[in-house]
Amino acid sequence: NPDTLAPEEEAKILLVADNDLHHACEKFAEVVVAQSARPDKCYSTGNGLKSAKVGEPTTVTVHAVDQQGKVTPKPVKALTAKLVRSRDATRAECQVRRVGKSKYELQYQPATRGEHQLHIRINGKNIKGSPYTVTVMPSPQSLGKPVRSIGNLQGPWGIATNGRGHIVVAERNGHCVLVFTPEGQKIRSFGSNGASHGQFKYPRGVVVDKDDNIIVTDRYNHRIQKFTSEGKFLMAVGTSGSGPQQFKHPSGASICNTSDKIYIADSHNHRIQILNMDFTFSSSFGTQGSGTGQFENP
């Protein structure tokens, strides 16, 4: 008897279902014994487990299941969810509401594209299949429609975005690089007219790597420069010439994150030069001409 336990005395208490009471109640109505949901038994359904679109509400249904593998009407009070971008841990809010005796609806609205992880937990533990890999794509309704404009730029040329959604612009005639918020507010600028590290002469191409470093083609200095996301100079490569790691008026730039290669349009050398992420030479292709594999000032 727990009421008669002496101080510091230990006892094991076993709670046993009263089968007689259960059977007696069954004479008058159906008896349902509600058990708590088990995270490892609960599961989710819906297209939102695999794909979503930027800016569009997406739903997922969670089914509460007990230890015996049966759906349970007992309320789940500690059901939480979060959508996290794999690249930089950017989060999207998830709303949870009960839509049935054993069903719960999760709704999220991603703000960024790319691969995300959808974590669904009960009492801090992942449910079956969680976390789910969700690919977020641009919304078709947003393609081709102006969202906002950024003015007062001096010959903008290359443009890129980083993992936080910031807009990076190579301002050709201003000999600098500008960084804006997604709403178009200027965060910073770096660079000036010159040939020293961190300076530019008519920059053109700009690209952002998976670490948010900014890579710029410095056209009239015949080189490529790399900076941190805050604009701190990291490294440069290139002189005027036609050999490996040399350039003549480099123009556009692109990155392949799967192979960790940088592709540079080496304009007046009529070729594409491929660099490794540390700016060492990888390979090149192209010659001047109009045939297959040839270029005219790419």
Side-chain angles (χ1 to χ4, degrees):
N1 185 351
D3 293 330
T4 61
L5 292 177
E8 299 184 359
E9 186 176 350
E10 295 183 358
K12 293 182 179 180
I13 300 174
L14 178 63
L15 301 179
V16 181
D18 190 333
N19 291 326
D20 292 336
L21 177 61
H22 184 103
H23 292 312
C25 292
E26 284 183 325
K27 297 178 181 179
F28 304 97
E30 180 184 1
V31 177
V32 176
V33 180
Q35 298 188 25
S36 299
R38 283 289 303 268
D40 59 334
K41 300 290 184 179
C42 298
Y43 64 95
S44 295
T45 57
N47 293 332
L49 297 174
K50 294 182 178 180
S51 62
K53 294 177 181 176
V54 173
E56 294 188 8
T58 306
T59 59
V60 170
T61 301
V62 178
H63 303 264
V65 180
D66 63 19
Q67 175 65 33
Q68 282 71 41
K70 299 178 180 180
V71 295
T72 174
K74 189 172 183 178
V76 179
K77 298 180 180 180
L79 174 59
T80 61
K82 63 180 179 179
L83 183 72
V84 183
R85 192 182 188 192
S86 303
R87 177 176 176 179
D88 56 8
T90 299
R91 294 190 179 189
E93 293 295 326
C94 295
Q95 304 297 325
V96 181
R97 68 186 183 98
R98 193 176 186 183
V99 294
K101 289 184 178 181
S102 61
K103 293 182 180 180
Y104 298 80
E105 182 183 86
L106 308 181
Q107 186 177 90
Y108 62 86
Q109 186 170 323
T112 55
R113 60 186 295 181
E115 184 178 285
H116 292 64
Q117 298 294 315
L118 177 60
H119 300 261
I120 304 176
R121 296 188 175 106
I122 294 178
N123 295 322
K125 297 181 179 179
N126 283 319
I127 69 170
K128 186 188 298 183
S130 177
Y132 303 90
T133 299
V134 180
T135 301
V136 180
M137 301 297 292
S139 173
Q141 287 76 16
S142 65
L143 297 177
K145 294 183 179 180
V147 177
R148 61 184 56 86
S149 62
I150 302 174
N152 300 317
L153 301 179
Q154 301 180 54
W157 199 278
I159 185 170
T161 58
N162 65 16
R164 288 169 286 183
H166 294 159
I167 303 165
V168 184
V169 180
E171 191 178 55
R172 182 178 183 273
N173 296 339
H175 310 286
C176 65
V177 172
L178 306 174
V179 183
F180 300 89
T181 66
E183 293 72 35
Q185 297 177 340
K186 182 178 175 180
I187 300 174
R188 68 180 62 89
S189 66
F190 58 91
S192 59
N193 189 4
S196 299
H197 288 162
Q199 293 186 310
F200 304 101
K201 280 190 177 294
Y202 302 100
R204 283 209 176 183
V206 62
V207 69
V208 177
D209 68 17
K210 59 186 177 183
D211 296 319
D212 277 353
N213 295 318
I214 300 170
I215 299 170
V216 185
T217 59
D218 191 1
R219 186 170 174 82
Y220 282 86
N221 282 323
H222 311 288
R223 66 183 178 185
I224 314 300
Q225 297 194 69
K226 180 188 287 190
F227 302 85
T228 67
S229 58
E230 287 75 32
K232 180 181 178 181
F233 173 80
L234 293 176
M235 65 178 70
V237 64
T239 56
S240 180
S242 301
Q245 297 176 292
Q246 292 185 316
F247 305 93
K248 286 186 179 179
H249 301 98
S251 183
S254 182
I255 285 181
C256 177
N257 283 321
T258 56
S259 63
D260 286 335
K261 303 294 183 183
I262 307 169
Y263 293 77
I264 305 296
D266 192 0
S267 185
H268 289 189
N269 278 324
H270 313 286
R271 66 181 179 182
I272 305 299
Q273 193 166 174
I274 305 173
L275 305 178
N276 299 309
M277 297 305 292
D278 60 358
F279 281 4
T280 54
F281 177 77
S282 177
S283 61
S284 65
F285 60 90
T287 57
Q288 185 175 10
S290 57
T292 301
Q294 294 185 311
F295 304 98
E296 286 287 347
N297 301 311

